[in-house]
Amino acid sequence: MPKPSTTRRLIGYALVYKFRIIGALLVLCFAVGAELGGPYITKTIIDRHLSGSAGDLSSVFGLIALYMALLLAAGIGNFSQAFILQSTALRIIKNIRMDLMKHIQRIPLRYFDNTPIGQVVSRIANDTEAVRDLFMSFMATFVVSFVQLLGIYVALFLLDVRLALFCLLLPPLFALIMAIHLKYSKVFISIMRARLSDMNAMINESITVMPIIQAFRREKTTLDEFETLNNDRYVNQIKQFRIFSLSSRNIVGTIGSLVTAAVVWYFGRESLQTAISFGVFYAFIDYLGRIFQPIIGIFDQLTNAQRAFVSADKVFAIMDIDGAEVERVEGAHRPEGNVKFDNVTFAYKEGEPVLKRISFEARKGETIALVGHTGSGKSSIMNLLLGFYEPGEGSITIDGRDIAAMSKQELRKHMGIVLQDPYLFAGDIKFNVSLYNPDITLDKVKQSLQDVGAAPFVERLPGGYDEPVIERGSTLSSGQRQLISFARALAFDPAILILDEATASIDSETEGLIQRALKVVSEGRTTLVIAHRLSTIRDADQILVLHRGEIVERGNHEELMKLEGRYYKMYQLQKGERAPQQAFAPDAASGGAAEAVQVQPARSQ
């Protein structure tokens, strides 16, 4: 089914507030009528009371009072309509931004694998703000200007039909100029928005990896790359401004002067034949001058409107990405935790499988460890279990139920995960454990921290459990962050616990604390461990050794050591004992020493 156009979708958001908009437009019509009544009153004063003989001063004062009242009413009306329209525009953008943020939660992780984070941030922050300018400019300028022009032409026809018909040539002429302006400036505006998105992505990446940039002395190269993007945006911005300068105020002002001169010539010619009304002449010139004000206003906002349409296309392009609905699963049944992979094959890119015919079963209360070199497929198995990706072949079941038939929220509700690089949110210690889950009380937070051995260091902090944590928890050591992430997983009491190399960046003393805690918390639940330190999985019920996406060995520690295969060689190397020289001997198709350090995306570990 084809997606609706950008214009229709923007109108759809505006129609939510149609009664506010209609009310504001009625107020606007009243304000424009009050404004345009002024020159007509002046014409009446000139022709009836000031031309040739002394008029009735009481009538003059009455008309002046009416003029002032109309000005006051127009001021109040303009303020009211502007406030209503502008606040409505802000509400519309608030809705668009929330819809975009909600949809991002539904998009599969595959999209984020191929899209720089900075570009996504740019869509939510910069592009929605540009769309806001569209509604603000459209409601505050285009609509207002249209109503003003309509009122001005009504007044012109009341004064002189022939000259009003001549002035009707102006709107088509300015529309043609606007069309030419839009045609040539759209290309430059699209490039400008794309470069801004690229710059945001690069800034985000540079800040994230600043230690690497400085360590490898890439400051100059990074600056050069940024300067290329920045300069390209600057060049296109200059070209767009050149078009704007040629086709906006300058051309409107020139045409306005020529038309005004023609009107003066027309009235001058008429005065040679008949006596003309000076009041009509004054009023016509006044109204004619007012025609060009809304035209200039439209031209001034034309660039913002065009930029906003380009941004709206990008925002709706994200909204058009298929996503899974976020469901409420408060009453979801807690599974036993029996996990089964049945002949699962998976590829991030078509034709390049990272998992091949994976089959294993993890029963409730068992600990299953996955080991293997970088790129062997360990993390891909976890990604499939968590529902981040869908297998190409085979099935994954929990308690005999295919996870493909479960919503993502139901699937993950009773899962806990601890990553190698733990992420802490800006907040405090207790928030980072409970994540505002109402079922996790402060006592449960303290108990979870106690179970993983984190309570002693937390209680020594100045704020204790209320100690502020900045984003990513950079004020804490890696071991402390890891312990807090363990406490977070345990506080949610998962039926299935996933540890993704969770002890890889922890010192030996902290590792001992975690090992003791794991023996307690893994009791009664299924635990899957991606292990880098093989010493941490000696007690696992089953160890799966992966190589190039396949399970090449399986068994417990003692069984695998007796095999003296890949696991045995890896274990001997980590212990520091001399392993057989062929431990890392390349396979015939492995490409030499690349076996030990395969170049694979981090996601496929």
Side-chain angles (χ1 to χ4, degrees):
M1 180 178 178
K3 301 291 184 180
S5 66
T6 297
T7 303
R8 289 184 61 184
R9 296 170 86 160
L10 291 172
I11 292 174
Y13 276 100
L15 288 178
V16 175
Y17 302 102
K18 55 182 176 293
F19 295 114
R20 286 175 60 90
I21 295 174
I22 291 172
L25 292 179
L26 292 175
V27 175
L28 173 61
C29 292
F30 166 77
V32 170
E35 278 184 344
L36 297 180
Y40 201 88
I41 292 174
T42 303
K43 170 230 179 236
T44 303
I45 293 174
I46 293 174
D47 287 345
R48 293 186 180 180
H49 303 285
L50 301 181
S51 296
S53 60
D56 184 359
L57 288 180
S58 62
S59 298
V60 173
F61 287 133
L63 289 172
I64 292 175
L66 177 60
Y67 193 178
M68 296 178 64
L70 288 176
L71 291 177
L72 179 61
I76 295 173
N78 282 325
F79 169 80
S80 300
Q81 61 87 11
F83 179 81
I84 295 173
L85 289 178
Q86 301 274 358
S87 61
T88 301
L90 292 175
R91 293 187 183 191
I92 291 170
I93 294 307
K94 182 186 72 171
N95 293 344
I96 292 177
R97 188 177 287 122
M98 282 305 303
D99 286 349
L100 178 59
M101 191 65 188
K102 289 177 182 176
H103 189 71
I104 285 176
Q105 310 293 328
R106 307 183 184 108
I107 296 177
L109 282 185
R110 193 180 294 273
Y111 169 79
F112 299 101
D113 288 340
N114 303 313
T115 305
I117 295 175
Q119 286 189 9
V120 180
V121 173
S122 182
R123 299 291 175 267
I124 300 174
N126 298 336
D127 288 326
T128 54
E129 198 67 15
V131 178
R132 178 187 68 85
D133 292 339
L134 170 64
F135 280 102
M136 300 283 273
S137 61
F138 178 79
M139 292 184 177
T141 302
F142 287 81
V143 174
V144 173
S145 298
F146 177 78
V147 174
Q148 287 177 335
L149 285 173
L150 187 63
I152 290 170
Y153 272 101
V154 170
L156 289 177
F157 272 98
L158 290 175
L159 292 172
D160 191 294
V161 174
R162 286 179 298 172
L163 207 54
L165 288 172
F166 169 73
C167 292
L168 277 178
L169 297 174
L170 293 176
L173 176 61
F174 287 127
L176 176 62
I177 296 171
M178 288 180 189
I180 296 173
H181 171 95
L182 292 173
K183 177 182 178 181
Y184 287 98
S185 64
K186 182 178 181 179
V187 176
F188 304 125
I189 289 176
S190 298
I191 296 174
M192 287 160 52
R193 299 304 298 177
R195 292 299 166 267
L196 179 62
S197 179
D198 294 339
M199 289 162 63
N200 285 337
M202 185 175 180
I203 291 170
N204 181 83
E205 182 184 67
S206 298
I207 293 173
T208 303
V209 299
M210 188 59 70
I212 303 298
I213 291 175
Q214 294 181 358
F216 286 90
R217 305 179 305 283
R218 285 188 50 85
E219 295 92 340
K220 180 66 167 59
T221 304
T222 303
L223 283 175
D224 290 342
E225 292 173 357
F226 186 83
E227 184 178 9
T228 300
L229 296 174
N230 197 23
N231 187 67
D232 191 26
R233 188 174 194 274
Y234 165 78
V235 169
N236 284 276
Q237 203 164 23
I238 291 295
K239 292 178 180 178
Q240 194 277 326
F241 279 146
R242 188 180 297 129
I243 293 174
F244 175 78
S245 299
L246 291 174
S247 61
S248 57
R249 289 178 177 267
N250 286 337
I251 198 165
V252 173
T254 302
I255 293 174
S257 299
L258 292 174
V259 172
T260 302
V263 170
V264 172
W265 174 80
Y266 170 82
F267 276 103
R269 183 173 59 84
E270 287 291 310
S271 66
L272 296 176
Q273 301 173 5
T274 60
I276 65 166
S277 166
F278 183 73
V280 172
F281 175 66
Y282 165 81
F284 207 97
I285 294 296
D286 189 308
Y287 285 129
L288 187 61
R290 294 179 185 231
I291 286 180
F292 304 105
Q293 294 175 7
I295 296 295
I296 289 174
I298 290 175
F299 265 110
D300 286 345
Q301 293 298 328
L302 210 55
T303 300
N304 288 339
Q306 194 170 25
R307 184 186 302 120
F309 267 107
V310 172
S311 297
D313 287 337
K314 296 181 182 297
V315 168
F316 291 132
I318 293 182
M319 289 188 178
D320 288 339
I321 298 172
D322 293 333
E325 194 66 32
V326 177
E327 301 179 3
R328 302 182 67 87
V329 290
E330 283 78 1
H333 172 70
R334 178 186 173 89
E336 290 291 316
N338 297 314
V339 176
K340 183 177 181 181
F341 276 62
D342 186 10
N343 204 32
V344 171
T345 297
F346 170 69
Y348 291 103
K349 294 182 180 179
E350 190 69 29
E352 300 178 15
V354 294
L355 294 177
K356 307 168 189 175
R357 302 175 298 280
I358 298 295
S359 296
F360 69 89
E361 187 171 358
R363 298 181 179 85
K364 177 182 178 181
E366 289 186 342
T367 297
I368 305 297
L370 306 175
V371 301
H373 299 303
T374 299
S376 60
K378 303 185 298 295
S379 292
S380 296
I381 290 177
M382 299 305 190
N383 287 336
L384 291 175
L385 179 58
L386 286 162
F388 293 146
Y389 302 91
E390 303 294 334
E393 299 177 12
S395 64
I396 305 170
T397 60
I398 297 179
D399 295 349
R401 184 182 176 191
D402 196 327
I403 65 172
M406 304 166 63
S407 72
K408 305 305 180 186
Q409 289 67 46
E410 180 185 4
L411 172 64
R412 299 165 191 157
K413 179 173 175 60
H414 296 290
M415 287 188 184
I417 183 170
V418 180
L419 301 173
Q420 178 180 357
D421 184 18
Y423 189 94
L424 298 186
F425 298 90
D428 54 32
I429 298 289
K430 65 178 186 296
F431 158 69
N432 270 284
V433 175
S434 68
L435 298 182
Y436 290 141
N437 187 323
D439 297 329
I440 300 177
T441 63
L442 180 59
D443 289 339
K444 192 170 184 179
V445 168
K446 292 180 178 180
Q447 185 60 50
S448 298
L449 289 166
Q450 181 69 42
D451 288 343
V452 300
F457 92 79
V458 171
E459 292 170 355
R460 286 196 300 268
L461 295 172
Y465 296 96
D466 297 315
E467 176 72 11
V469 177
I470 65 174
E471 187 177 347
R472 301 194 67 88
S474 57
T475 56
L476 301 172
S477 70
S478 59
Q480 290 172 335
R481 294 198 302 271
Q482 194 64 283
L483 287 172
I484 292 173
S485 68
F486 261 93
R488 176 196 298 162
L490 300 181
F492 280 80
D493 189 25
I496 300 170
L497 181 62
I498 297 173
L499 308 178
D500 190 350
E501 301 204 50
T503 60
S505 59
I506 293 177
D507 57 83
S508 299
E509 181 180 353
T510 306
E511 180 185 335
L513 290 173
I514 291 178
Q515 288 301 314
R516 287 193 294 272
L518 283 177
K519 290 182 180 179
V520 176
V521 300
S522 61
E523 186 70 29
R525 61 169 55 89
T526 306
T527 305
L528 289 93
V529 184
I530 292 179
H532 179 71
R533 296 183 182 181
L534 302 185
S535 59
T536 63
I537 58 167
R538 289 178 57 118
D539 296 330
D541 296 286
Q542 185 176 190
I543 300 171
L544 307 177
V545 183
L546 287 101
H547 177 62
R548 295 185 177 180
E550 298 181 279
I551 298 176
V552 293
E553 296 176 9
R554 67 177 75 206
N556 59 32
H557 175 76
E558 288 75 16
E559 292 170 347
L560 292 177
M561 290 298 289
K562 290 178 182 178
L563 286 177
E564 296 191 3
R566 283 189 170 271
Y567 179 83
Y568 171 81
K569 296 166 187 175
M570 292 167 62
Y571 190 82
Q572 295 294 90
L573 284 174
Q574 287 195 10
K575 284 184 63 178
E577 298 180 6
R578 182 172 179 81
Q581 189 171 355
Q582 67 271 25
F584 284 99
D587 294 335
S590 67
E595 165 59 19
V597 185
Q598 296 183 31
V599 181
Q600 291 277 359
R603 66 190 178 199
S604 63
Q605 291 180 354

